[in-house]
Amino acid sequence: MATNPSIITRDVDKLAIKAGGNTYEAVAIISKRARQIALKTKEELNAKLADFASSVDNLEEIFENREQIEISKFYERLPKPTSLAIDEFTEDKFTYRLPGQNANEE
């Protein structure tokens, strides 16, 4: 999953053009998509970590569960949901519909 780094300068005017010239609509669309991505990622992580859950919690098991630590590190290294959402928005990878309008392909 290759994407841009989290901290880069983005031209807000180019994003606004894709949302009909309205910067606030572009930000709202991107933020909603970022929340969707974050929720999906969190559900995947919780499902994978649930496989390692045990009913007995002692300190030895907590510190020795390397598989759980590796899964967590993998998810920490993934691109941020906002970066993914901006990339999807600029590349027209999802559709959106503003209240009171038909679906746009932007």
Side-chain angles (χ1 to χ4, degrees):
M1 215 179 218
T3 188
N4 296 330
S6 295
I7 302 174
I8 63 170
T9 304
R10 301 187 190 267
D11 188 358
V12 179
D13 293 332
K14 288 182 182 177
L15 295 175
I17 290 170
K18 296 185 97 27
N22 191 331
T23 303
Y24 299 104
E25 284 182 6
V27 170
I29 293 164
I30 291 168
S31 65
K32 178 140 183 136
R33 179 63 184 139
R35 284 191 300 271
Q36 292 171 346
I37 293 169
L39 181 63
K40 179 183 169 199
T41 304
K42 183 177 180 181
E43 288 172 354
E44 288 175 4
L45 174 62
N46 287 338
K48 289 183 181 182
L49 292 178
D51 294 340
F52 298 104
S54 66
S55 60
V56 179
D57 288 334
N58 62 28
L59 291 177
E60 292 174 11
E61 287 182 15
I62 292 172
F63 290 118
E64 293 178 4
N65 199 341
R66 297 286 177 216
E67 295 89 5
Q68 221 174 5
I69 293 169
E70 290 303 317
I71 290 171
S72 295
K73 285 183 179 180
F74 171 78
Y75 277 91
E76 287 175 2
R77 283 183 243 131
L78 288 177
K80 303 295 180 214
T82 306
S83 294
L84 293 173
I86 291 171
D87 290 343
E88 288 180 3
F89 183 71
T90 57
E91 296 170 9
D92 298 328
K93 290 187 176 180
F94 66 90
T95 59
Y96 64 90
R97 181 174 36 92
L98 298 173
Q101 294 181 351
N102 294 330
N104 295 322
E105 294 190 8
E106 296 188 56

